[in-house]
């Protein structure tokens, strides 16, 4: 059996990847501009951390390694500003969010790299439907065994990451009724899901991958579209379920949450088999209903995800104070409990504007760091043919509005 070397990293270090939308500033649809944008940034100091993604309407930002999320935030703000400057120069806009609200997958163009061209040939139309946008969080660990230990402990908290980051309520012009629709595209791939529960150390992980290779089911770890997977060449555990938030501030708050949670969980025991029994149901509930979803704990207790998350924040705060991230995690807690996630904000924008292109414009403004996009309600004639009527989270503070009448929205976006 081939051994997989694991490069040791300093525990509790972190980094993130953000997949971003490239927007036509006139139509607010996606535009295939990644080649032009990469060329524009070719001589910039951060050029090596701006990458193409599977379709040309996407771009990826990769942070460096950080010990503290505030350093990560400072770097991500610098990278955001540099990307915006380059995007302005080539005549495109940039936005966060887990999915574009009205793009058509049929119009997407696959990036010209061997890996992406292989995926397009292997998976057919699924490759172009994979024009969705996620945040990946890397947590440093010192060994392969520790990576599996942390991965197992993090698995019951996958719904919490989904709900906190959810920003993909719209797909192809309609409200999906999901808080996170993006993961439905990810789950189409045959090796999506989670690590088998019987894998409990690095040797067993190596054996599992060797068996997949022997059966012709996978060639490398890259073929594992798991919610969380080890990244041995980086020395990290990679959390892959988050939608890309609408702002770098929320992205770094969620990274700080992940770091503190990892420290807490490595002091605790293995979650046990009950965590896997409820895994798929908890995953669905978080995607469908966000913070309002049901959650079943590893010991079989059933409660609202928001209530479990509220208790988790209480457990996390002492660890966050140790790490010096109390302010960031408290901000994430307070904003999530008060205003909900980005999916709720996007729905509030649609209720106010009644036009999905204007919602995309608000997304672009939010990415630039403008909390209040400043776009007034659309005229009654601008209401889309397919009106959004349902939501995936209770929004009693957002009553149905008459055309042209503004509706209250959450106080601020992060």
């Amino acid at each position: 059996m081939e051994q997989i070397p694991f490069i040791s990293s300093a525990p509790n270090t972190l980094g993130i990847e953000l997949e971003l939308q490239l927007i036509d500033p006139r139509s607010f649809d996606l535009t295939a501009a990644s080649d032009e944008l990469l060329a524009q940034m070719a001589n910039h100091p951060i050029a090596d951390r701006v990458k193409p993604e599977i379709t040309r309407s996407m771009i990826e930002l990769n942070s460096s390694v950080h010990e503290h999320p505030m350093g990560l935030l400072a770097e991500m703000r610098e990278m955001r500003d540099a990307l915006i400057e380059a995007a302005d120069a080539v005549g495109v806009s940039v936005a966060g969010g887990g999915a574009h609200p009205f793009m058509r997958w049929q119009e997407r163009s696959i990036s010209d790299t061997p890996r992406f061209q292989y995926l397009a040939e292997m998976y057919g139309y699924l490759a172009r439907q994979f024009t969705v946008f996620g945040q990946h969080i890397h947590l440093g660990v010192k060994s392969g065994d520790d990576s599996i230990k942390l991965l197992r402990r993090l698995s019951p908290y996958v719904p919490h990451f989904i709900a906190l980051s959810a920003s993909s309520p719209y797909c192809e012009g309609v409200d999906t009724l999901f808080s996170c629709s993006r993961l439905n595209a990810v789950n189409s791939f045959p090796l999506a899901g989670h690590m088998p529960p019987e894998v409990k150390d690095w040797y067993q992980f190596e054996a599992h991958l060797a068996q997949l290779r022997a059966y012709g089911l996978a060639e490398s770890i890259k073929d594992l579209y798991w919610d969380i997977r080890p990244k041995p060449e980086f020395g990290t555990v990679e959390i892959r379920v988050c939608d890309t938030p609408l702002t770098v501030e929320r992205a770094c708050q969620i990274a700080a949450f992940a770091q503190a949670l990892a420290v807490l969980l490595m002091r605790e025991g293995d979650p046990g088999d009950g965590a896997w029994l409820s895994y798929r149901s908890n995953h669905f509930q978080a995607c469908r209903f966000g913070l309002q979803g049901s959650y079943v704990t590893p010991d079989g207790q059933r409660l609202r995800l928001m209530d479990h998350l509220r208790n988790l924040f209480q457990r996390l705060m002492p660890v966050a104070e140790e790490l010096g991230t109390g302010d960031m995690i408290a901000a994430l807690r307070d904003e999530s409990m008060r205003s909900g996630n980005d999916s709720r904000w996007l729905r509030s924008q649609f209720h106010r504007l009644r036009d999905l292109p204007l919602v995309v414009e608000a997304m672009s403004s939010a990415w630039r760091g403008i909390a209040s996009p400043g776009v007034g309600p659309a005229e009654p004639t601008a209401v889309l043919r397919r009106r959004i009527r349902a939501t995936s989270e209770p929004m009693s503070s957002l009553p149905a509005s008459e055309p042209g009448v503004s509706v209250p929205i959450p106080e601020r976006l992060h």
Side-chain angles (χ1 to χ4, degrees), residues 225-241:
Y225 287 84
W226 292 350
D227 296 335
I228 311 175
R229 71 182 182 190
K231 193 78 169 176
E233 65 269 34
F234 289 176
T236 64
V237 170
E238 181 185 18
I239 301 170
R240 300 163 51 83
V241 294

Side-chain angles (χ1 to χ4, degrees), residues 87-404:
D88 288 346
V90 299
V92 299
S93 297
V94 180
H100 186 276
F102 61 89
M103 76 96 179
R104 287 170 52 84
W105 65 263
Q106 299 93 328
E107 298 171 359
R108 306 284 63 84
S109 173
I110 300 294
S111 295
D112 189 19
T113 70
R115 171 72 178 172
F116 295 145
Q117 291 294 326
Y118 162 77
L119 292 175
E121 184 162 344
M122 176 67 182
Y123 294 111
Y125 83 111
L126 293 179
R128 285 186 287 168
Q129 282 194 329
F130 204 44
T131 307
V132 290
F133 308 84
Q135 172 183 357
H136 297 178
I137 303 169
H138 289 266
L139 300 169
V141 288
K142 65 181 181 180
S143 69
D145 282 343
D146 278 354
S147 75
I148 301 303
K149 184 184 298 184
L150 178 57
L151 193 160
R152 290 178 59 85
R153 285 160 169 74
L154 283 169
S155 292
Y157 299 92
V158 160
H160 306 65
F161 285 102
I162 294 172
L164 285 170
S165 67
S167 59
S168 52
Y170 300 114
C171 180
E172 298 195 9
V174 297
D175 192 322
T176 64
L177 305 188
F178 276 68
S179 192
C180 168
S181 69
R182 166 184 157 269
L183 287 174
N184 294 324
V186 179
N187 290 338
S188 299
F189 289 81
L191 294 178
H194 58 74
M195 185 179 71
E198 60 269 20
V199 174
K200 296 184 178 180
D201 58 32
W202 189 247
Y203 177 82
Q204 291 177 335
F205 173 77
E206 290 176 323
H208 176 69
L209 187 59
Q211 187 174 32
L212 291 176
R213 285 172 173 162
Y215 278 60
L217 299 175
E219 294 183 3
S220 71
I221 295 175
K222 285 184 177 181
D223 296 319
L224 305 178
Y225 287 84
W226 292 350
D227 296 335
I228 311 175
R229 71 182 182 190
K231 193 78 169 176
E233 65 269 34
F234 289 176
T236 64
V237 170
E238 181 185 18
I239 301 170
R240 300 163 51 83
V241 294
C242 296
D243 282 358
T244 297
L246 297 177
T247 65
V248 293
E249 287 76 17
R250 173 60 64 93
C252 293
Q253 287 171 359
I254 293 173
F257 172 84
Q259 182 191 51
L261 181 61
V263 171
L264 175 67
L265 296 179
M266 290 298 275
R267 298 172 180 175
E268 299 181 348
D270 190 87
D273 293 341
W276 310 104
L277 184 65
S278 58
Y279 188 98
R280 293 305 306 168
S281 177
N282 286 341
H283 187 287
F284 170 81
Q285 285 282 325
C287 288
R288 173 65 176 85
F289 300 107
L291 295 165
Q292 302 296 335
S294 296
Y295 180 74
V296 179
T297 66
D299 60 2
Q301 181 185 4
R302 187 178 183 89
L303 67 165
R304 265 200 329 167
L305 180 57
M306 180 179 287
D307 294 332
H308 193 269
L309 184 59
R310 187 178 288 110
N311 293 333
L312 178 60
F313 275 121
Q314 291 180 350
R315 293 170 55 207
L316 277 183
M317 287 312 296
V319 176
E321 296 300 336
E322 290 178 29
L323 298 172
T325 58
D327 290 346
M328 291 185 77
I329 293 178
L332 177 65
R333 176 198 63 200
D334 295 346
E335 291 161 10
S336 299
M337 297 300 149
R338 180 183 64 246
S339 302
N341 56 27
D342 283 346
S343 280
R344 187 179 183 191
W345 188 85
L346 288 167
R347 285 191 170 105
S348 75
Q349 291 298 307
F350 181 82
H351 283 295
R352 182 170 70 92
L353 301 168
R354 297 294 179 183
D355 185 70
L356 283 177
L358 292 181
V359 171
V360 177
E361 184 177 28
M363 292 166 62
S364 298
S365 295
W367 174 254
R368 286 178 177 267
I370 304 172
S372 299
V375 180
E379 294 298 321
T381 54
V383 177
L384 292 184
R385 185 180 307 171
R386 291 178 288 185
R387 290 187 62 180
I388 312 304
R389 299 183 61 186
T391 63
S392 68
E393 298 181 32
M395 297 175 65
S396 57
S397 62
L398 297 172
S401 67
E402 296 299 323

